[in-house]
Amino acid sequence: MYRFLLTPRWLAAAVLTVAASVVMVFLGNWQLHRYHERSAINDRIDAADSAPAVPLTSVLVKPTAAGTLGPRPGEDRAWTKVTVTGRYDATHEIQARGRTVESKVGFEIVTPLVLPDGTAVLIDRGWVPSQNGDAISPPVASPPPAGEVTVVGQVHLSESRPSSITRRDGRLDTRRISLPHLAKEMPYPVYGAYVLQSDPAQGFSRIPIDHEDSWQNGGYAVQWWMFSVMALLAYGWQARREARGDGPKKRVDRVEEADRRGKPVPTSQAPD
């Protein structure tokens, strides 16, 4: 009854169905892996608020030469709460334009904090609005405090897609906080990640940390696995129809036989 499954056409269909099903399972597993990665990031973000701050040097590797960038930390170090002590260098302050907080456009003010050993870490002191509510008008931001200060914040990895760097209103102006490019503008070694200050000064807004959409990846994983099962079920359903004589070829054969005998063809028997 199912000998037709051994014909070249059905064997080819079986191979394609199994191959497609396996690929869909792998895609589902990849989405599940992304779900776990993003869930771990969200857990670190949530835990950082209540976790005690650890020294910056215990999380990031110390850079070596002036104008160079230290090693980039792994994803598992992102959002770790750290503490670091040093002196702000306002002469190399950075304004990152076109940054949005609560649907308002403004600037993030990033200032190098020079440590006692001569290295520096970039501190995102917070967000300030532009003067005219656009991404071009320069911001009004209070200068960093003088003298030695201790900063508590969370580790933020360098942003990708670097943009050009110019000097404007006494600050370096850029669109992206890309550490490999910003480090070249600094007269000292720079750590491979920057720090979002947890308690910005008056006039600054804290930079919000967005959670990863892990549930979207979880949903995609389930969808791919369902598609894999559906492909196999569709093959089995089509094979059963063929075995019962409901396949396209069998319907055409019945119509041709009816024509030869001169009998009317029922509507349900008409070929597709």
Side-chain angles (χ1 to χ4, degrees):
M1 185 175 180
Y2 286 93
R3 289 181 179 177
F4 63 88
L5 294 177
L6 299 178
T7 61
R9 181 170 70 91
W10 279 93
L11 287 174
V15 171
L16 290 175
T17 301
V18 172
S21 182
V22 170
V23 169
M24 293 175 191
V25 169
F26 277 114
L27 289 173
N29 291 342
W30 180 79
Q31 289 290 351
L32 180 63
H33 176 69
R34 289 291 295 148
Y35 166 79
H36 288 307
E37 282 185 339
R38 289 186 163 184
S39 295
I41 292 174
N42 292 336
D43 291 342
R44 289 198 300 273
I45 293 173
D46 294 335
D49 287 334
S50 57
V54 298
L56 175 78
T57 52
S58 68
V59 178
L60 303 180
V61 178
K62 180 180 177 179
T64 53
T68 61
L69 186 69
R72 183 182 187 274
E75 297 284 344
D76 60 330
R77 300 300 178 94
W79 312 121
T80 303
K81 183 185 285 188
V82 296
T83 179
V84 58
T85 300
R87 295 175 179 270
Y88 279 118
D89 177 15
T91 61
H92 290 88
E93 192 165 73
I94 304 154
Q95 58 183 30
R97 64 183 182 275
R99 318 294 276 203
T100 303
V101 172
E102 296 182 354
S103 302
K104 296 180 181 179
V105 180
F107 295 77
E108 290 181 32
I109 305 301
V110 182
T111 311
L113 184 73
V114 182
L115 281 60
D117 62 2
T119 61
V121 59
L122 300 187
I123 305 294
D124 192 329
R125 297 198 290 132
W127 177 91
V128 292
S130 61
Q131 294 187 49
N132 297 324
D134 54 38
I136 301 176
S137 303
V140 176
S142 59
E148 190 172 80
V149 296
T150 297
V151 177
V152 176
Q154 290 177 257
V155 172
H156 195 304
L157 303 182
S158 175
E159 296 180 354
S160 58
R161 295 185 299 168
S163 60
S164 60
I165 302 172
T166 59
R167 183 165 285 276
R168 178 185 178 194
D169 301 317
R171 298 189 183 100
L172 297 175
D173 182 272
T174 186
R175 179 69 179 85
R176 304 279 180 183
I177 306 177
S178 175
L179 297 183
H181 287 73
L182 290 172
K184 297 176 183 178
E185 305 292 329
M186 305 296 162
Y188 27 66
V190 178
Y191 277 86
Y194 65 103
V195 175
L196 298 180
Q197 188 168 353
S198 299
D199 188 18
Q202 186 176 3
F204 290 83
S205 296
R206 183 179 179 181
I207 305 300
I209 300 175
D210 296 328
H211 282 62
E212 299 282 338
D213 189 3
S214 59
W215 286 107
Q216 182 182 53
N217 295 101
Y220 287 156
V222 173
Q223 287 181 3
W224 280 118
W225 293 333
M226 290 179 62
F227 292 154
S228 176
V229 174
M230 290 170 61
L232 296 174
L233 291 177
Y235 177 84
W237 176 76
Q238 190 63 37
R240 180 173 174 78
R241 289 186 64 201
E242 187 76 14
R244 294 174 57 185
D246 295 332
K249 185 176 185 303
K250 295 294 183 67
R251 291 200 301 272
V252 171
D253 291 343
R254 288 198 297 268
V255 171
E256 292 177 349
E257 180 66 21
D259 287 341
R260 286 195 297 270
R261 296 181 179 183
K263 296 180 179 181
V265 181
T267 303
S268 60
Q269 301 293 332
D272 295 336

